[in-house]
Amino acid sequence: MQDLGNLETLILGSNHIPSLELPSDFPTRNLKYLDFQMNIIQQISAKDVSVLKKTSNLTLILKGNNIVHIEGRAFSSMSFYSLNFGGCVNISVILEGLQGAKTVFLWLGTFDDWDSGIDISDSMLQGICNISADDLNLQYHYFSQISAGTFQCLTKLRKIDLAHTSLRMLPPDIVGMNMLKELNLNMNAFTDLCDIHSAAFLNLTHLSIRDNSEKLHLGSGCLKTLSKLQHLDLSNSNIESSDCCAQELHGLSSLQHLNLSYNRHLFLHNIAFEECSNLVILDLTFTRIITNTSQGPFRNLHLLQFLNLAHCQIGPSIQHILQGLESLIVLNLHGNYFESGTMLNDNVFEQTPNLERAIFSEVLMSAMN
């Protein structure tokens, strides 16, 4: 093994390897990435991982193995960059073996095409209390009886991924989540934005509720406590609003990136994003936009650099839609229909002096004044 002293990456995936154990003289000084995914590893002992105790910030991939037992504290005192146990059904067994370990990323989720998601109980996650992790992935499992106790050992996390976990609401009495910065609630079944009880996550900077299976009502001020939120993704969530979005996005003064694409329709009256004047990116692709004002609904977005209005059916609204957008760099109007076949006002782009890229494909344009 002496000739492998500079080895940094070892990929052994999709074989028939039954054990994680490496030779005692295996060179681990520079090892940073070790991939054992899709093998036949079922049990892991402390002896199996003893050689890896010489590593630091290792990425260890064990997803797709049917692990049924890990010796208690087998990974104790070890420091990883990423641990991936994706698709391993028995989370309690995994956490028992990880007691005393440290990692940045901990992947315990499963996958859409795997019939391995399990119903997560509060007791299953208790083992996380004695594991140091920043980022936890539990995607494609189930939370049929989620409670505040579910989050009891998650208070030190910076990011939680709960995508496709059959959630309809989060408990209103969650406490201690002040370190959480990113929350992924994609592909769930919320019916009201207020049902996430955002007051429990005061320091969030990123929130994603994309691909919601139910019609998501935005409510009024449901996110008002998230004054530090910078990135909000509500795309493809069957949203419609008759007066968007001053009340719905009340309190989001730090918001920089907003994605409302692939929703139903939004009526924009007066100043649509009144408290979101720091927006830099606004994506409304394939969401019908209706305006009934001669003044631009985005006219307070003086910092906006990217505006995607592809397939928004804005029609002649282009005449005032660009008001106030002096910082705009990219404008996408692909798939909108201009009845006259031309821009009605040849001065329309005087409002966007910094525009570098404009997309007008498939707008039935016959001339550009």
Side-chain angles (χ1 to χ4, degrees):
M1 294 291 176
Q2 60 184 0
D3 295 331
L4 296 175
N6 294 318
L7 188 69
E8 294 184 355
T9 298
L10 179 59
I11 299 176
L12 297 166
S14 299
N15 283 296
H16 295 87
I17 299 172
S19 172
L20 182 58
E21 186 176 10
L22 295 171
S24 59
D25 60 343
F26 189 87
T28 59
R29 180 185 60 189
N30 295 312
L31 191 64
K32 294 298 179 186
Y33 190 96
L34 181 58
D35 187 345
F36 275 96
Q37 67 176 296
M38 305 298 292
N39 276 285
I40 55 172
I41 298 171
Q42 292 189 321
Q43 301 194 37
I44 300 174
S45 69
K47 182 173 180 269
D48 293 339
V49 300
S50 60
V51 172
L52 299 180
K53 288 185 178 291
K54 303 173 187 178
T55 66
S56 179
N57 293 321
L58 177 70
T59 291
L60 178 60
I61 311 295
L62 288 166
K63 68 179 181 182
N65 287 281
N66 183 26
I67 297 174
V68 296
H69 175 73
I70 301 180
E71 184 179 337
R73 302 185 67 84
F75 291 86
S76 179
S77 302
M78 298 180 67
S79 179
F80 295 89
Y81 178 71
S82 179
L83 281 169
N84 190 329
F85 290 90
C88 301
V89 176
N90 197 329
I91 289 179
S92 298
V93 163
I94 304 299
L95 295 179
E96 178 66 22
L98 295 181
Q99 295 296 288
K102 180 180 181 180
T103 183
V104 177
F105 300 97
L106 178 57
W107 184 294
L108 299 176
T110 184
F111 309 98
D112 186 22
D113 55 347
W114 291 27
D115 187 21
S116 57
I118 59 172
D119 194 347
I120 302 292
S121 66
D122 294 356
S123 60
M124 285 184 184
L125 299 180
Q126 293 302 303
I128 296 179
C129 281
N130 298 314
I131 300 169
S132 176
D134 292 339
D135 184 327
L136 176 65
N137 186 302
L138 291 167
Q139 68 173 29
Y140 285 97
H141 288 301
Y142 305 102
F143 286 90
S144 61
Q145 300 293 330
I146 193 167
S147 70
T150 307
F151 293 82
Q152 182 180 346
C153 290
L154 309 184
T155 56
K156 295 181 181 180
L157 294 170
R158 293 177 58 85
K159 179 179 179 180
I160 301 177
D161 190 335
L162 296 174
H164 209 293
T165 49
S166 304
L167 292 175
R168 294 184 174 275
M169 66 176 298
L170 294 181
D173 51 348
I174 298 172
V175 296
M177 302 299 296
N178 292 334
M179 294 184 67
L180 194 69
K181 301 295 184 183
E182 300 185 37
L183 180 59
N184 184 347
L185 298 172
N186 296 341
M187 295 180 286
N188 281 296
F190 296 97
T191 57
D192 196 302
L193 192 56
C194 285
D195 288 339
I196 73 166
H197 299 288
S198 64
F201 313 105
L202 293 177
N203 292 314
L204 275 188
T205 59
H206 291 65
L207 174 62
S208 185
I209 312 178
R210 189 179 68 238
D211 301 320
N212 197 64
S213 63
E214 301 291 334
K215 178 181 177 180
L216 182 64
H217 296 275
L218 295 179
S220 178
C222 296
L223 306 179
K224 63 184 179 182
T225 58
L226 302 183
S227 61
K228 298 179 182 179
L229 195 68
Q230 299 174 16
H231 188 291
L232 177 60
D233 190 345
L234 299 173
S235 58
N236 197 28
S237 293
N238 303 296
I239 294 171
E240 57 184 45
S241 174
S242 60
D243 190 6
C244 183
C245 290
Q247 291 301 314
E248 290 91 333
L249 302 182
H250 172 60
L252 302 186
S253 58
S254 298
L255 199 64
Q256 297 178 15
H257 185 168
L258 176 60
N259 191 343
L260 285 166
S261 63
Y262 292 90
N263 282 298
R264 295 184 181 180
H265 60 257
L266 302 175
F267 286 81
L268 306 182
H269 302 291
N270 198 17
I271 299 178
F273 302 100
E274 186 172 3
E275 296 190 41
C276 304
S277 59
N278 289 311
L279 275 177
V280 176
I281 298 173
L282 178 58
D283 192 346
L284 297 166
T285 308
F286 274 101
T287 297
R288 186 185 180 195
I289 301 300
I290 305 166
T291 65
N292 63 355
T293 175
S294 59
Q295 292 184 301
F298 309 135
R299 63 185 184 275
N300 66 317
L301 304 182
H302 303 299
L303 302 179
L304 196 70
Q305 297 181 15
F306 180 96
L307 178 59
N308 194 340
L309 295 172
H311 293 281
C312 286
Q313 305 179 43
I314 61 171
S317 297
I318 184 61
Q319 304 307 316
H320 57 268
I321 208 87
L322 301 181
Q323 288 179 12
L325 303 185
E326 60 264 24
S327 297
L328 197 65
I329 296 174
V330 178
L331 173 64
N332 189 347
L333 289 168
H334 171 84
N336 287 285
Y337 172 54
F338 300 106
E339 292 183 5
S340 65
T342 65
M343 292 289 181
L344 298 180
N345 185 345
D346 57 4
N347 296 322
V348 66
F349 293 111
E350 288 184 353
Q351 303 167 100
T352 55
N354 292 300
L355 194 65
E356 296 179 3
R357 185 179 184 190
I359 302 170
F360 293 98
S361 50
E362 296 184 27
V363 296
L364 299 182
M365 186 181 292
S366 58
M368 192 165 184
N369 294 335

